[in-house]
Amino acid sequence: MKITYHGHSAISIETDTHRILMDPFITGNSLSDLDPNTVEADVILLTHGHNDHVGDAFAIAERTGAQIVAINELAVYATQKGLQAHGMNIGGAFDFDFGRVKFTQAFHSSSYEEEDGTFIYTGMPAGIILTIGDKTVYHVGDTALFSDLKLIGERNDIDVAFVPIGDNFTMGPEDALLAAEWINAKKVVPVHYNTFPVIEQDPDAFVAKLTNSEGFALKAGESITL
Ligand code: NI
Ligand code: MN
């Protein structure tokens, strides 16, 4: 499978059979290489309800018919907008036709802000472990450092982990280094940085300090193949 980074926390995964988008924040994402009006997707996975993660998901789902997979409250909200959605919750896994999705915990907050400023409750924030064939991708989501990342690393043979390093809203580079050590993935890609002034970081310095994983400071549009 081919996994492409699209700036902030947005990732796409192309398999032989499916096009999967995760946290497709395109409009308003200065780093994005995608066009929200033409990007294709069969499935959209969302880690939590914040607008910099839901991003263009609803419009893309409406145009493409893609199914949204999210924490239950966010999935219900999507269905109320007339979209197809599958609700899950932390600790639960489900075998979809495109792969197995498991929602993991994340220490963060979660809500969706409407254009008029109204906040919609969207349940708990999460990380997502996606297993396709014998490959496992872990989108850590937005989170602080927490010690159960070690448990997640011990219980999953993770091929690539997408780890936030931006600080301010999530863990910063120092905490993310320990997170990466605990997650123990073969490959690590830093995410959630440089989109806004308060989360400016040096991804090359971060990947140079990784100990037990190979680091890839991908630019938007760059891919790794598993
Ligand atoms: Ni967030
Ligand atoms: Mn975020």
Side-chain angles (χ1 to χ4, degrees), residues 50 161 190 215:
H50 283 156

Side-chain angles (χ1 to χ4, degrees), residues 8 47-53 108-110 125 141-143 169-170 192:
H8 206 58
T47 59
H48 64 296
H50 283 156
N51 296 57
D52 61 320
H53 296 260
H108 191 62
S109 60
S110 186
D142 279 6
T143 187
F169 300 114
T170 67
H192 212 275

Side-chain angles (χ1 to χ4, degrees), residues 141-221:
D142 279 6
T143 187
L145 180 67
F146 60 98
S147 56
D148 276 357
L149 287 166
K150 197 173 169 67
L151 183 67
I152 290 170
E154 284 168 3
R155 287 174 55 85
N156 298 276
D157 185 12
I158 298 163
D159 291 281
V160 56
F162 291 85
V163 179
I165 65 162
D167 222 340
N168 196 82
F169 300 114
T170 67
M171 54 189 166
E174 279 186 30
D175 286 354
L177 277 175
L178 185 55
E181 188 183 319
W182 284 342
I183 293 164
N184 198 28
K186 294 181 185 73
K187 296 178 168 69
V188 164
V189 178
V191 300
H192 212 275
Y193 63 91
N194 290 357
T195 328
F196 318 117
V198 292
I199 58 171
E200 275 178 17
Q201 300 295 342
D202 181 346
D204 296 307
F206 172 77
V207 298
K209 290 181 193 156
L210 288 166
T211 50
N212 45 350
S213 307
E214 189 182 1
F216 296 83
L218 299 180
K219 292 183 176 65

Side-chain angles (χ1 to χ4, degrees), residues 29-45:
N29 175 359
S30 57
L31 304 174
S32 184
D33 63 310
L34 295 177
D35 180 343
N37 300 308
T38 56
V39 64
E40 290 298 333
D42 304 299
V43 187
I44 302 171
L45 308 181

Side-chain angles (χ1 to χ4, degrees), residues 10-188:
I11 293 156
S12 64
I13 301 173
E14 279 176 62
T15 71
D16 292 340
T17 52
H18 290 87
R19 294 158 300 185
I20 302 161
L21 280 179
M22 298 180 85
D23 288 1
F25 172 46
I26 302 169
T27 303
N29 175 359
S30 57
L31 304 174
S32 184
D33 63 310
L34 295 177
D35 180 343
N37 300 308
T38 56
V39 64
E40 290 298 333
D42 304 299
V43 187
I44 302 171
L45 308 181
L46 300 176
T47 59
H48 64 296
H50 283 156
N51 296 57
D52 61 320
H53 296 260
V54 172
D56 300 87
F58 297 149
I60 296 167
E62 192 170 345
R63 177 174 55 78
T64 62
Q67 182 185 37
I68 289 174
V69 178
I71 290 288
N72 195 58
E73 287 81 355
L74 181 53
V76 169
Y77 183 57
T79 60
Q80 288 168 352
K81 288 178 175 290
L83 303 170
Q84 272 198 55
H86 180 113
M88 298 180 65
N89 219 319
I90 292 169
F94 188 80
D95 289 309
F96 293 88
D97 59 353
F98 60 87
R100 180 175 178 83
V101 172
K102 185 171 187 178
F103 276 84
T104 60
Q105 73 189 80
F107 277 88
H108 191 62
S109 60
S110 186
S111 62
Y112 182 78
E113 189 180 356
E114 297 279 18
E115 274 178 34
D116 67 1
T118 307
F119 279 100
I120 306 293
Y121 171 69
T122 52
M124 294 288 283
I128 294 174
I129 297 175
L130 172 63
T131 304
I132 300 172
D134 62 351
K135 302 296 181 191
T136 297
V137 177
Y138 178 26
H139 192 311
V140 177
D142 279 6
T143 187
L145 180 67
F146 60 98
S147 56
D148 276 357
L149 287 166
K150 197 173 169 67
L151 183 67
I152 290 170
E154 284 168 3
R155 287 174 55 85
N156 298 276
D157 185 12
I158 298 163
D159 291 281
V160 56
F162 291 85
V163 179
I165 65 162
D167 222 340
N168 196 82
F169 300 114
T170 67
M171 54 189 166
E174 279 186 30
D175 286 354
L177 277 175
L178 185 55
E181 188 183 319
W182 284 342
I183 293 164
N184 198 28
K186 294 181 185 73
K187 296 178 168 69
V188 164

